[in-house]
Amino acid sequence: MDTGTSDHKPLEAKAIEAAYEELQRQAAENPSVLRVRKDGDRAVIDGSVDLDALVMVIVGSVAGGP
């Protein structure tokens, strides 16, 4: 019987992708305040992040939003 563990991977991948895209969007909007780059499977973040916007995007990706 499948325990459902494999089902979490795609959801996690969607959330990670959504988070990184939102961080990139915020950095593009105000590059003097925020810089973001990927380093392997990590994000290197230098600056101020709008956590409300970041959380909304992650929750939306988990809920099946755009």
Side-chain angles (χ1 to χ4, degrees), residues 15-57:
I16 290 169
E17 181 180 348
Y20 188 70
E21 287 176 1
E22 173 58 18
L23 289 168
Q24 287 182 310
R25 185 198 67 76
Q26 288 186 30
E29 189 174 274
N30 203 344
S32 65
V33 175
L34 178 63
R35 288 185 305 272
V36 178
R37 68 178 171 83
K38 268 194 168 181
D39 184 13
D41 63 347
R42 297 182 179 269
V44 178
I45 303 166
D46 181 21
S48 180
V49 174
D50 180 345
L51 289 178
D52 286 338
L54 181 61
V55 169
M56 291 294 280
V57 165

